[in-house]
Amino acid sequence: MKFTKKTLFLLISFSFLINAQAQELSETLLKVKPGVVGVGTFLPSRSPRSIFLGTGFVIGNGQLIVTNAHVVAKKINTDRLEKWAIVDKVAVDRKHDIAILKLKRGRLPTLTLGSVSNVKEGGLYTFTGYPIGMVLGLYPVTHRGIISAISPIVIPVFNSGQLNAKLIRRLENPYNVYQLDATAYPGNSGSPLYDVQTGEVIGVINKVFVKETKENVLSKPIGITYAIPIVHVKNLLASKGW
């Protein structure tokens, strides 16, 4: 195959761009990964004693952790001494499925919250978390993709049989969510969605709450990945004076 000078130039330019983006992400990951944590419970009589139910990320003074509210909605077995591992729940926003936890002791490296005003469809973003809990080990995994759509959390229904109590509540006051072309897995709920270059967090990955609404009308949900805009985390923090 014979290439023209213009084709070769474009191929070389594209190669440089890909390498530059990979270098940027590598450098950003060095800052982000220390602030990404597993969220789960500890039970002395269980094997394994600790399990991850989702992912969280550290903000503020190094003691606050953001995750999804549904991740920490599990009723723990206090009779058998099950407890949340090294955290307490301090704030919950069930409407936007956001929870803020607090470390019982110590501090961890923090992530910076970004601005939703700069988020655009087609933008390249990354999320890091613990897909499938501890099955893949204790090392956070990173995925990358674009924001393929910014759309309301609910979609129109075509008959009353598709309505349920949750959907009706959300239809009253819908808000936008990010739809991604990268795949998240159970355990990724609560992962930070962040800018490849700066590491600033612009959303929180959600695998359950949004899926129940956006894909409610589908007989076989397709499992598209969504994220809750970070503005709702900021609002929850502000409501607590943090």
Side-chain angles (χ1 to χ4, degrees):
M1 182 180 295
K2 194 172 182 180
F3 294 104
T4 64
K5 288 184 178 179
K6 183 177 180 180
T7 302
L8 286 172
F9 175 77
L10 290 173
L11 287 172
I12 293 171
S13 298
F14 181 72
S15 176
F16 274 119
L17 177 62
I18 294 298
N19 288 335
Q21 289 179 339
Q23 181 63 31
E24 284 177 346
L25 180 54
S26 295
E27 293 173 357
T28 301
L29 276 175
L30 292 176
K31 298 185 295 183
V32 169
K33 285 178 70 174
V36 177
V37 299
V39 177
T41 66
F42 176 82
L43 179 60
S45 58
R46 181 175 58 201
S47 181
R49 295 180 178 181
S50 298
I51 59 170
F52 286 169
L53 300 173
T55 301
F57 57 95
V58 187
I59 62 170
N61 63 0
Q63 290 187 306
L64 299 179
I65 295 173
V66 177
T67 188
N68 289 152
H70 76 260
V71 169
V72 291
K74 175 184 183 291
K75 185 176 181 180
I76 60 176
N77 192 338
T78 54
D79 291 339
R80 297 183 60 194
L81 303 181
E82 184 179 19
K83 58 185 179 181
W84 291 103
I86 69 171
V87 294
D88 290 318
K89 284 186 278 186
V90 292
V92 176
D93 173 3
R94 299 195 187 283
K95 178 182 177 181
H96 302 100
D97 199 28
I98 299 295
I100 297 177
L101 316 176
K102 186 175 183 180
L103 288 172
K104 292 180 179 178
R105 58 184 179 275
R107 298 177 190 272
L108 293 171
T110 61
L111 276 62
T112 301
L113 303 185
S115 171
V116 296
S117 63
N118 298 323
V119 179
K120 304 230 177 3
E121 291 183 357
L124 183 65
Y125 293 92
T126 303
F127 59 92
T128 298
Y130 293 89
I132 324 179
M134 298 172 65
V135 173
L136 300 181
L138 300 177
Y139 297 92
V141 180
T142 299
H143 300 80
R144 180 175 63 173
I146 65 166
I147 291 182
S148 51
I150 301 175
S151 59
I153 190 172
V154 293
I155 57 176
V157 296
F158 303 102
N159 61 71
S160 59
Q162 294 173 332
L163 291 171
N164 57 43
K166 289 182 180 178
L167 190 57
I168 291 172
R169 285 196 297 271
R170 292 170 196 172
L171 279 168
E172 292 176 350
N173 190 19
Y175 56 91
N176 286 341
V177 293
Y178 304 139
Q179 179 178 319
L180 309 174
D181 73 341
T183 302
Y185 299 89
N188 271 127
S189 285
S191 298
L193 177 68
Y194 55 92
D195 186 280
V196 172
Q197 295 178 315
T198 65
E200 292 184 346
V201 182
I202 56 93
V204 184
I205 297 295
N206 191 298
K207 281 298 293 177
V208 174
F209 181 80
V210 178
K211 181 177 176 180
E212 288 175 349
T213 307
K214 293 284 284 185
E215 301 180 13
N216 179 68
V217 298
L218 303 178
S219 59
K220 294 182 179 180
I222 50 182
I224 292 173
T225 297
Y226 301 97
I228 305 293
I230 202 65
V231 64
H232 302 298
V233 173
K234 290 183 174 182
N235 290 341
L236 181 57
L237 290 167
S239 72
K240 300 297 180 180
W242 295 331

